[in-house]
Amino acid sequence: MAYLDRYLRDRTLILLSNREPYEHVMRDGAVHVRQPAGGLVSALDPTMQQTHGTWVAWGSGNADHESADSEGRLMVPPDDPRYTLRRVWLDAEDIEHYYLGFANSVLWPICHMLIQHLEIRDEQWLRYRDVNRRFAEAVADEARRADGTPMVWIQDYHFALVAHELRNEIPDLFIHQFWHIPFPPLDILGLLPMDVLEAVLRGMLGNDLLEFHTRRYAMNFLSCVEYFMPDAEVRRASLSVEYDGREIFLGVFPISIDVELYENLASSPAADERVRELRERYAAGPNQLGVSVDRIDYTKGIPERLHALEVLWERYPELRGEFSVILVATPSRTDIDAYRQLEADVISTVAEINHRFGNPDWTPIVLIHENVSSELLASIYRAGDLCMVSSLQDGMNLVAKEFIACQTDERGVLVLSRFTGAAEAIEGAVLINPFNVDGFVEGIRTALAMPMEERRRRMQRMRVQLHDTTIFDWMGAILSRASELMTRNEPSPTSP
Ligand code: GDG
């Protein structure tokens, strides 16, 4: 990670995310440290260890208070302290209105353009604003304590207002933000109440650099600014905005995964054994295995996928018994009604399909309805003849990339929704439109019928692309661009 020293030099990285990298939890009368699962934490933690910066996040563990000082600070990793974690405390109402409410029941559906799930409540917005202010104060405090010149890097839609708040506190601070989900076109963002909409755009324009997965999301942001913020001047050619006497740059940085980590997980001796067992059980002889992995979220198109599978087995009876699916569907955001409803729907639809087509010797869909270990996940990816990603909208979709990384035998076909950032980042998948059930069914058929030679050719091509664009390339590209802009903003040293 030599690039970190090159880009950061004497700068101190202050990272802000909703999820914290280490959580203290009380279990069986003792305090345990847990690293929440998730690609982002595992990619950013080594960076923070290297840079010795500060990570600001919500202290979500039930023993977090006791393990931090009176300001919520502690050194992590707990058994090898390398950087500071600053925890911000949220109470039950904050979680209900800021996190489950405005972030996940307003911004999430709006940004994914799935507005049938939208319900806007004043209380949620007011709490979101208040919590964003508190996080901004904590980051400002850390910036004032920093040894080197601070560079603040905000993660995601939970903190649309933080950059603006921070800039009010420390006008010269360098701030950038990565937006992990799509950014919607103006007719959709326009569904927000006007004061909320303006505050969100103004908040995001508090950054010096705003990072998106695709050019389309960046262009949507520019159109929204142009339309709703008459004081701002949009410059499409340079992907920038002049606002409030400052220039804000946009950048396109498609996120990726730690490719080697997944390859190693998929090719360990234990994985060899698991893959052999999975194939023997579900894909013996001419039989084939389809796989899919998602958090249970209405953006992921799980009902649409189940419907396509039902039509497939109905229309092509010869595939019954010959094609099975392992569907990993992990419970998520279960405090929100729409998610609980979706979870119940997924379980009952799988049962109906299995009842309709299955027999004592064959279960069409094997539902794994719990969080599985990354070791098992990697084996499932490797064992698959095809992987179905059918998101209705998805910023990037890391599952598609994980499947490619784990396909060390190069037998699998990626059936991928064209409404994912991944479809724009990678060439070689069979693209589908999850809203078009007949097209989706034919996409699966094409994948199942694809000759081995073509599967290999496509998979090899996708693997080369993935190796050239790992999570470390993503981080390097962002930090390089941020430090270039930071240098430009810094007053040039006066000659003696
Ligand atoms: C957001 C954006 C963007 C799922 N179940 C299990 C498990 N997972 C892991 C997957 C994958 C991750 O969760 C899901 O990542 P995605 O990218 O598919 O989707 P979101 O969670 O919605 O992420 C998305 C991403 O941010 C990054 O910018 O790509 O567009 O929506 O890593 O493997 N992992 C384990 N067990 C499970 O049961 N171990």
Side-chain angles (χ1 to χ4, degrees):
M1 276 192 254
Y3 64 83
L4 293 175
D5 298 332
R6 192 160 73 240
Y7 300 139
L8 291 172
R9 298 203 304 266
D10 62 340
R11 292 159 183 158
T12 303
L13 183 58
I14 302 177
L15 187 79
L16 170 63
S17 72
N18 182 67
R19 280 261 168 252
E20 60 179 341
Y22 296 92
E23 207 176 37
H24 285 83
V25 287
M26 180 69 83
R27 208 180 331 117
D28 304 327
V31 174
H32 297 263
V33 179
R34 191 165 71 182
Q35 188 157 37
L40 200 69
V41 164
S42 43
L44 292 175
D45 180 54
T47 305
M48 293 306 289
Q49 292 198 29
Q50 182 84 6
T51 61
H52 310 287
T54 300
W55 191 323
V56 181
W58 164 35
S60 51
N62 61 9
D64 271 359
H65 261 284
E66 299 84 308
S67 34
D69 70 14
S70 59
E71 289 163 314
R73 303 174 96 225
L74 70 157
M75 294 297 290
V76 291
D79 50 4
D80 177 21
R82 304 292 275 279
Y83 66 92
T84 304
L85 170 60
R86 164 81 177 253
R87 287 173 172 156
V88 174
W89 309 117
L90 300 182
D91 64 23
E93 296 223 314
D94 292 332
I95 295 163
E96 184 183 346
H97 299 302
Y98 141 75
Y99 179 68
L100 299 169
F102 194 76
N104 284 326
S105 302
V106 178
L107 283 180
W108 179 267
I110 284 253
C111 286
H112 289 90
M113 300 163 234
L114 295 170
I115 51 178
Q116 70 273 35
H117 298 283
L118 182 64
E119 188 190 74
I120 305 170
R121 308 299 298 260
D122 284 351
E123 198 171 5
Q124 299 173 339
W125 163 243
L126 296 175
R127 194 57 76 118
Y128 181 87
R129 212 171 57 180
D130 182 52
V131 168
N132 267 239
R133 260 186 210 140
R134 276 146 52 197
F135 274 100
E137 275 163 23
V139 173
D141 181 45
E142 293 301 329
R144 291 192 186 100
R145 293 170 189 243
D147 293 335
T149 315
M151 174 201 272
V152 174
W153 191 18
I154 304 170
Q155 303 294 319
D156 234 351
Y157 63 99
H158 308 93
F159 300 121
L161 313 179
V162 166
H164 176 77
E165 295 291 333
L166 259 178
R167 185 139 330 268
N168 285 342
E169 293 266 326
I170 311 178
D172 293 334
L173 190 62
F174 187 88
I175 314 168
H176 59 125
Q177 181 160 15
F178 192 86
W179 197 259
H180 287 262
I181 61 177
F183 200 87
L186 66 92
D187 283 338
I188 301 286
L189 195 77
L191 300 177
L192 285 173
M194 210 39 84
D195 58 329
V196 173
L197 186 158
E198 282 166 7
V200 165
L201 291 176
R202 200 181 318 115
M204 292 174 75
L205 289 172
N207 284 287
D208 293 289
L209 170 65
L210 256 173
E211 299 128 8
F212 296 96
H213 291 296
T214 73
R215 191 173 167 83
R216 197 159 38 82
Y217 306 153
M219 287 312 207
N220 282 347
F221 179 79
L222 288 182
S223 302
C224 289
V225 170
E226 188 166 57
Y227 192 81
F228 294 114
M229 308 285 281
D231 297 349
E233 192 190 321
V234 164
R235 297 171 185 157
R236 283 196 169 69
S238 57
L239 276 188
S240 66
V241 179
E242 174 99 25
Y243 178 67
D244 206 18
R246 295 182 307 112
E247 189 161 23
I248 297 98
F249 287 90
L250 273 60
V252 178
F253 301 95
I255 202 168
S256 192
I257 57 166
D258 183 342
V259 179
E260 249 179 64
L261 179 87
Y262 277 92
E263 269 178 358
N264 292 340
L265 283 174
S267 47
S268 69
D272 288 345
E273 183 55 27
R274 266 195 305 266
V275 171
R276 206 183 47 74
E277 281 167 15
L278 285 167
R279 293 217 42 98
E280 218 169 79
R281 187 145 168 209
Y282 300 110
N287 294 356
Q288 299 200 56
L289 173 65
V291 300
S292 73
V293 176
D294 316 82
R295 288 186 300 103
I296 300 182
D297 191 299
Y298 52 76
T299 61
K300 304 292 181 187
I302 306 173
E304 287 74 6
R305 192 182 315 151
L306 293 175
H307 187 42
L309 288 168
E310 187 172 17
V311 174
L312 179 89
W313 281 308
E314 186 178 82
R315 193 174 292 167
Y316 303 105
E318 67 276 17
L319 289 176
R320 297 181 199 164
E322 296 221 333
F323 171 53
S324 318
V325 171
I326 295 182
L327 192 105
V328 178
T330 316
S332 170
R333 303 181 190 168
T334 47
D335 293 322
I336 300 176
D337 284 346
Y339 286 74
R340 270 201 310 276
Q341 183 61 48
L342 176 64
E343 192 174 333
D345 285 352
V346 169
I347 294 170
S348 64
T349 309
V350 168
E352 280 162 27
I353 294 176
N354 285 345
H355 179 72
R356 178 165 172 208
F357 299 110
N359 59 49
D361 298 323
W362 177 61
T363 306
I365 301 175
V366 177
L367 175 64
I368 303 182
H369 174 227
E370 62 188 14
N371 207 295
V372 301
S373 70
S374 27
E375 287 77 14
L376 177 56
L377 201 66
S379 302
I380 292 175
Y381 284 137
R382 183 178 150 196
D385 293 283
L386 67 130
C387 176
M388 291 164 286
V389 173
S390 55
S391 312
L392 307 181
Q393 289 293 330
D394 216 329
M396 173 54 63
N397 191 283
L398 296 179
V399 166
K401 296 193 172 188
E402 292 164 8
F403 173 68
I404 297 169
C406 294
Q407 273 288 315
T408 47
D409 309 313
E410 299 171 345
R411 78 160 77 82
V413 184
L414 177 61
V415 176
L416 177 64
S417 161
R418 63 184 179 83
F419 307 120
T420 58
E424 292 179 38
I426 295 171
E427 273 177 50
V430 171
L431 294 186
I432 54 110
N433 173 349
F435 298 100
N436 168 11
V437 65
D438 294 317
F440 192 172
V441 169
E442 290 317 310
I444 299 174
R445 271 252 301 169
T446 304
L448 288 171
M450 193 179 283
M452 195 47 81
E453 203 178 307
E454 185 175 350
R455 293 180 182 213
R456 275 198 208 296
R457 200 173 46 75
R458 284 179 182 245
M459 187 48 78
Q460 280 168 4
R461 192 156 132 232
M462 293 196 284
R463 292 176 64 78
V464 169
Q465 294 167 50
L466 194 59
H467 273 278
D468 289 344
T469 52
T470 68
I471 184 86
F472 304 107
D473 297 305
W474 173 78
M475 213 138 36
I478 288 180
L479 293 181
S480 151
R481 178 67 172 143
S483 54
E484 178 197 333
L485 290 174
M486 200 169 166
T487 307
R488 205 202 280 194
N489 289 359
E490 277 160 1
S492 48
T494 44
S495 34

mmCIF file of all heavy atoms in Angstrom, residues 108 180 213 255 293 295 300 328 330 370-374 377 381 394-399 402, ligand 1:
data_model
loop_
_atom_site.group_PDB
_atom_site.id
_atom_site.type_symbol
_atom_site.label_atom_id
_atom_site.label_comp_id
_atom_site.label_asym_id
_atom_site.label_seq_id
_atom_site.Cartn_x
_atom_site.Cartn_y
_atom_site.Cartn_z
ATOM 1 N N TRP A 108 -33.008 6.097 0.252
ATOM 2 C CA TRP A 108 -32.741 4.808 -0.420
ATOM 3 C C TRP A 108 -33.723 4.562 -1.574
ATOM 4 O O TRP A 108 -33.300 4.375 -2.722
ATOM 5 C CB TRP A 108 -32.744 3.674 0.620
ATOM 6 C CG TRP A 108 -32.510 2.306 0.062
ATOM 7 C CD1 TRP A 108 -33.469 1.417 -0.319
ATOM 8 C CD2 TRP A 108 -31.245 1.675 -0.191
ATOM 9 N NE1 TRP A 108 -32.879 0.263 -0.794
ATOM 10 C CE2 TRP A 108 -31.516 0.386 -0.722
ATOM 11 C CE3 TRP A 108 -29.913 2.062 -0.020
ATOM 12 C CZ2 TRP A 108 -30.515 -0.514 -1.077
ATOM 13 C CZ3 TRP A 108 -28.901 1.161 -0.370
ATOM 14 C CH2 TRP A 108 -29.205 -0.102 -0.905
ATOM 15 N N HIS A 180 -22.475 5.584 -2.589
ATOM 16 C CA HIS A 180 -22.448 4.161 -2.965
ATOM 17 C C HIS A 180 -23.657 3.684 -3.753
ATOM 18 O O HIS A 180 -23.679 2.558 -4.248
ATOM 19 C CB HIS A 180 -22.329 3.296 -1.701
ATOM 20 C CG HIS A 180 -20.971 3.353 -1.077
ATOM 21 N ND1 HIS A 180 -20.012 2.388 -1.292
ATOM 22 C CD2 HIS A 180 -20.390 4.265 -0.270
ATOM 23 C CE1 HIS A 180 -18.918 2.702 -0.630
ATOM 24 N NE2 HIS A 180 -19.116 3.838 0.001
ATOM 25 N N HIS A 213 -20.211 5.848 -8.791
ATOM 26 C CA HIS A 213 -19.764 4.631 -9.486
ATOM 27 C C HIS A 213 -19.726 4.824 -11.002
ATOM 28 O O HIS A 213 -18.903 4.227 -11.678
ATOM 29 C CB HIS A 213 -20.750 3.475 -9.252
ATOM 30 C CG HIS A 213 -20.791 2.930 -7.868
ATOM 31 N ND1 HIS A 213 -19.718 2.314 -7.270
ATOM 32 C CD2 HIS A 213 -21.807 2.855 -6.967
ATOM 33 C CE1 HIS A 213 -20.084 1.895 -6.062
ATOM 34 N NE2 HIS A 213 -21.328 2.211 -5.858
ATOM 35 N N ILE A 255 -16.557 1.066 -7.768
ATOM 36 C CA ILE A 255 -15.975 0.318 -6.639
ATOM 37 C C ILE A 255 -15.733 -1.130 -7.039
ATOM 38 O O ILE A 255 -16.339 -1.630 -8.000
ATOM 39 C CB ILE A 255 -16.900 0.395 -5.400
ATOM 40 C CG1 ILE A 255 -16.108 0.129 -4.120
ATOM 41 C CG2 ILE A 255 -18.062 -0.572 -5.517
ATOM 42 C CD1 ILE A 255 -16.887 0.462 -2.852
ATOM 43 N N VAL A 293 -26.991 -14.406 -4.529
ATOM 44 C CA VAL A 293 -26.689 -13.941 -3.165
ATOM 45 C C VAL A 293 -27.163 -12.493 -3.039
ATOM 46 O O VAL A 293 -26.754 -11.638 -3.830
ATOM 47 C CB VAL A 293 -25.157 -13.976 -2.898
ATOM 48 C CG1 VAL A 293 -24.830 -13.396 -1.516
ATOM 49 C CG2 VAL A 293 -24.602 -15.392 -3.029
ATOM 50 N N ARG A 295 -28.716 -9.389 0.036
ATOM 51 C CA ARG A 295 -29.474 -8.972 1.213
ATOM 52 C C ARG A 295 -30.924 -8.930 0.728
ATOM 53 O O ARG A 295 -31.169 -8.602 -0.439
ATOM 54 C CB ARG A 295 -29.099 -7.544 1.623
ATOM 55 C CG ARG A 295 -27.750 -7.367 2.233
ATOM 56 C CD ARG A 295 -27.563 -5.929 2.741
ATOM 57 N NE ARG A 295 -27.681 -4.938 1.696
ATOM 58 C CZ ARG A 295 -28.741 -4.172 1.488
ATOM 59 N NH1 ARG A 295 -29.817 -4.257 2.265
ATOM 60 N NH2 ARG A 295 -28.776 -3.285 0.510
ATOM 61 N N LYS A 300 -33.161 -5.480 -5.137
ATOM 62 C CA LYS A 300 -32.369 -6.578 -5.710
ATOM 63 C C LYS A 300 -33.154 -7.444 -6.696
ATOM 64 O O LYS A 300 -32.597 -8.367 -7.282
ATOM 65 C CB LYS A 300 -31.781 -7.454 -4.596
ATOM 66 C CG LYS A 300 -30.936 -6.685 -3.575
ATOM 67 C CD LYS A 300 -29.645 -6.142 -4.172
ATOM 68 C CE LYS A 300 -28.810 -5.411 -3.129
ATOM 69 N NZ LYS A 300 -27.632 -4.734 -3.699
ATOM 70 N N VAL A 328 -29.150 -17.612 -1.793
ATOM 71 C CA VAL A 328 -28.756 -17.078 -0.484
ATOM 72 C C VAL A 328 -29.445 -15.725 -0.337
ATOM 73 O O VAL A 328 -29.205 -14.812 -1.129
ATOM 74 C CB VAL A 328 -27.225 -16.915 -0.365
ATOM 75 C CG1 VAL A 328 -26.853 -16.321 0.994
ATOM 76 C CG2 VAL A 328 -26.516 -18.245 -0.584
ATOM 77 N N THR A 330 -30.163 -13.007 2.583
ATOM 78 C CA THR A 330 -29.814 -12.676 3.959
ATOM 79 C C THR A 330 -30.753 -11.605 4.507
ATOM 80 O O THR A 330 -30.927 -10.561 3.871
ATOM 81 C CB THR A 330 -28.373 -12.118 3.985
ATOM 82 O OG1 THR A 330 -27.566 -12.940 3.166
ATOM 83 C CG2 THR A 330 -27.818 -12.088 5.369
ATOM 84 N N GLU A 370 -30.159 -17.123 5.835
ATOM 85 C CA GLU A 370 -29.381 -16.655 6.990
ATOM 86 C C GLU A 370 -28.029 -16.184 6.490
ATOM 87 O O GLU A 370 -27.649 -16.479 5.350
ATOM 88 C CB GLU A 370 -29.184 -17.799 7.991
ATOM 89 C CG GLU A 370 -28.407 -18.944 7.383
ATOM 90 C CD GLU A 370 -28.352 -20.189 8.273
ATOM 91 O OE1 GLU A 370 -29.121 -20.254 9.236
ATOM 92 O OE2 GLU A 370 -27.547 -21.061 7.965
ATOM 93 N N ASN A 371 -27.314 -15.478 7.358
ATOM 94 C CA ASN A 371 -26.000 -14.999 6.972
ATOM 95 C C ASN A 371 -25.029 -16.171 6.885
ATOM 96 O O ASN A 371 -24.911 -16.932 7.833
ATOM 97 C CB ASN A 371 -25.529 -14.002 8.028
ATOM 98 C CG ASN A 371 -24.574 -13.011 7.432
ATOM 99 O OD1 ASN A 371 -23.488 -13.391 7.004
ATOM 100 N ND2 ASN A 371 -24.971 -11.765 7.372
ATOM 101 N N VAL A 372 -24.386 -16.366 5.763
ATOM 102 C CA VAL A 372 -23.443 -17.484 5.637
ATOM 103 C C VAL A 372 -22.015 -16.945 5.731
ATOM 104 O O VAL A 372 -21.759 -15.772 5.448
ATOM 105 C CB VAL A 372 -23.638 -18.268 4.315
ATOM 106 C CG1 VAL A 372 -25.028 -18.819 4.203
ATOM 107 C CG2 VAL A 372 -23.318 -17.412 3.108
ATOM 108 N N SER A 373 -21.079 -17.810 6.088
ATOM 109 C CA SER A 373 -19.680 -17.378 6.218
ATOM 110 C C SER A 373 -19.114 -17.053 4.836
ATOM 111 O O SER A 373 -19.598 -17.570 3.817
ATOM 112 C CB SER A 373 -18.858 -18.502 6.843
ATOM 113 O OG SER A 373 -18.747 -19.546 5.904
ATOM 114 N N SER A 374 -18.110 -16.201 4.794
ATOM 115 C CA SER A 374 -17.550 -15.860 3.479
ATOM 116 C C SER A 374 -16.866 -17.077 2.841
ATOM 117 O O SER A 374 -16.789 -17.164 1.613
ATOM 118 C CB SER A 374 -16.612 -14.663 3.550
ATOM 119 O OG SER A 374 -16.041 -14.545 4.787
ATOM 120 N N LEU A 377 -19.699 -18.874 1.193
ATOM 121 C CA LEU A 377 -20.157 -18.034 0.080
ATOM 122 C C LEU A 377 -19.247 -18.235 -1.136
ATOM 123 O O LEU A 377 -19.719 -18.431 -2.269
ATOM 124 C CB LEU A 377 -20.092 -16.574 0.537
ATOM 125 C CG LEU A 377 -20.932 -15.569 -0.211
ATOM 126 C CD1 LEU A 377 -22.409 -15.866 0.020
ATOM 127 C CD2 LEU A 377 -20.610 -14.161 0.275
ATOM 128 N N TYR A 381 -20.251 -19.634 -4.869
ATOM 129 C CA TYR A 381 -19.967 -18.906 -6.123
ATOM 130 C C TYR A 381 -19.190 -19.809 -7.094
ATOM 131 O O TYR A 381 -19.450 -19.849 -8.280
ATOM 132 C CB TYR A 381 -19.103 -17.676 -5.857
ATOM 133 C CG TYR A 381 -19.783 -16.468 -5.248
ATOM 134 C CD1 TYR A 381 -19.160 -15.752 -4.218
ATOM 135 C CD2 TYR A 381 -21.001 -15.999 -5.725
ATOM 136 C CE1 TYR A 381 -19.733 -14.611 -3.673
ATOM 137 C CE2 TYR A 381 -21.586 -14.854 -5.183
ATOM 138 C CZ TYR A 381 -20.945 -14.168 -4.156
ATOM 139 O OH TYR A 381 -21.511 -13.036 -3.624
ATOM 140 N N ASP A 394 -29.102 -0.787 -8.945
ATOM 141 C CA ASP A 394 -28.019 -1.097 -8.003
ATOM 142 C C ASP A 394 -26.822 -0.215 -8.338
ATOM 143 O O ASP A 394 -26.394 -0.167 -9.499
ATOM 144 C CB ASP A 394 -27.624 -2.577 -8.158
ATOM 145 C CG ASP A 394 -27.246 -3.231 -6.846
ATOM 146 O OD1 ASP A 394 -26.733 -2.523 -5.968
ATOM 147 O OD2 ASP A 394 -27.459 -4.451 -6.709
ATOM 148 N N GLY A 395 -26.302 0.474 -7.323
ATOM 149 C CA GLY A 395 -25.176 1.382 -7.563
ATOM 150 C C GLY A 395 -24.061 0.689 -8.322
ATOM 151 O O GLY A 395 -23.636 1.129 -9.393
ATOM 152 N N MET A 396 -23.569 -0.435 -7.756
ATOM 153 C CA MET A 396 -22.567 -1.239 -8.445
ATOM 154 C C MET A 396 -23.027 -2.696 -8.494
ATOM 155 O O MET A 396 -23.278 -3.259 -9.515
ATOM 156 C CB MET A 396 -21.206 -1.116 -7.721
ATOM 157 C CG MET A 396 -20.120 -2.043 -8.245
ATOM 158 S SD MET A 396 -19.827 -1.938 -10.020
ATOM 159 C CE MET A 396 -19.273 -0.258 -10.198
ATOM 160 N N ASN A 397 -23.138 -3.342 -7.350
ATOM 161 C CA ASN A 397 -23.401 -4.757 -7.078
ATOM 162 C C ASN A 397 -22.091 -5.528 -7.013
ATOM 163 O O ASN A 397 -21.486 -5.893 -8.025
ATOM 164 C CB ASN A 397 -24.350 -5.433 -8.066
ATOM 165 C CG ASN A 397 -24.767 -6.799 -7.531
ATOM 166 O OD1 ASN A 397 -24.006 -7.751 -7.589
ATOM 167 N ND2 ASN A 397 -25.935 -6.865 -6.932
ATOM 168 N N LEU A 398 -21.678 -5.781 -5.782
ATOM 169 C CA LEU A 398 -20.414 -6.475 -5.550
ATOM 170 C C LEU A 398 -20.536 -7.974 -5.740
ATOM 171 O O LEU A 398 -19.548 -8.649 -6.019
ATOM 172 C CB LEU A 398 -19.916 -6.164 -4.128
ATOM 173 C CG LEU A 398 -19.577 -4.693 -3.891
ATOM 174 C CD1 LEU A 398 -19.124 -4.479 -2.455
ATOM 175 C CD2 LEU A 398 -18.480 -4.221 -4.843
ATOM 176 N N VAL A 399 -21.760 -8.510 -5.606
ATOM 177 C CA VAL A 399 -21.967 -9.952 -5.774
ATOM 178 C C VAL A 399 -21.486 -10.381 -7.171
ATOM 179 O O VAL A 399 -20.817 -11.411 -7.317
ATOM 180 C CB VAL A 399 -23.457 -10.301 -5.550
ATOM 181 C CG1 VAL A 399 -23.783 -11.695 -6.042
ATOM 182 C CG2 VAL A 399 -23.804 -10.154 -4.073
ATOM 183 N N GLU A 402 -17.785 -10.620 -7.017
ATOM 184 C CA GLU A 402 -17.342 -11.734 -6.173
ATOM 185 C C GLU A 402 -17.488 -13.060 -6.924
ATOM 186 O O GLU A 402 -16.628 -13.940 -6.847
ATOM 187 C CB GLU A 402 -18.152 -11.754 -4.863
ATOM 188 C CG GLU A 402 -17.830 -10.565 -3.971
ATOM 189 C CD GLU A 402 -18.860 -10.336 -2.868
ATOM 190 O OE1 GLU A 402 -19.763 -11.178 -2.674
ATOM 191 O OE2 GLU A 402 -18.762 -9.295 -2.190
HETATM 192 C C1 GDG B 1 -24.265 -0.958 -1.544
HETATM 193 C C2 GDG B 1 -24.888 -0.630 -2.903
HETATM 194 C C3 GDG B 1 -22.712 -1.183 -3.997
HETATM 195 C C4 GDG B 1 -24.734 -10.765 1.354
HETATM 196 N N1 GDG B 1 -25.205 -11.831 2.027
HETATM 197 C C5 GDG B 1 -24.149 -12.365 2.681
HETATM 198 C C6 GDG B 1 -23.014 -11.615 2.405
HETATM 199 N N2 GDG B 1 -23.398 -10.626 1.587
HETATM 200 C C7 GDG B 1 -22.472 -9.620 1.038
HETATM 201 C C8 GDG B 1 -22.126 -9.887 -0.406
HETATM 202 C C9 GDG B 1 -21.647 -8.516 -0.844
HETATM 203 C C10 GDG B 1 -22.491 -7.581 0.017
HETATM 204 O O1 GDG B 1 -23.077 -8.337 1.055
HETATM 205 C C11 GDG B 1 -23.617 -6.949 -0.779
HETATM 206 O O2 GDG B 1 -23.034 -5.978 -1.623
HETATM 207 P P1 GDG B 1 -23.800 -5.366 -2.867
HETATM 208 O O3 GDG B 1 -22.859 -4.500 -3.615
HETATM 209 O O4 GDG B 1 -24.339 -6.497 -3.690
HETATM 210 O O5 GDG B 1 -25.045 -4.566 -2.305
HETATM 211 P P2 GDG B 1 -25.367 -3.519 -1.076
HETATM 212 O O6 GDG B 1 -25.243 -4.163 0.248
HETATM 213 O O7 GDG B 1 -26.726 -2.993 -1.390
HETATM 214 O O8 GDG B 1 -24.258 -2.366 -1.203
HETATM 215 C C12 GDG B 1 -24.224 -1.438 -4.002
HETATM 216 C C13 GDG B 1 -22.141 -1.346 -2.597
HETATM 217 O O9 GDG B 1 -22.863 -0.577 -1.627
HETATM 218 C C14 GDG B 1 -20.671 -0.895 -2.558
HETATM 219 O O10 GDG B 1 -20.533 0.426 -3.000
HETATM 220 O O11 GDG B 1 -22.095 -2.133 -4.861
HETATM 221 O O12 GDG B 1 -24.737 -1.073 -5.268
HETATM 222 O O13 GDG B 1 -26.295 -0.885 -2.890
HETATM 223 O O14 GDG B 1 -20.301 -8.298 -0.498
HETATM 224 O O15 GDG B 1 -21.156 -10.876 -0.460
HETATM 225 N N3 GDG B 1 -21.789 -11.903 2.891
HETATM 226 C C15 GDG B 1 -21.685 -12.977 3.723
HETATM 227 N N4 GDG B 1 -22.760 -13.741 4.066
HETATM 228 C C16 GDG B 1 -23.996 -13.474 3.576
HETATM 229 O O16 GDG B 1 -24.961 -14.187 3.905
HETATM 230 N N5 GDG B 1 -20.473 -13.306 4.224
#
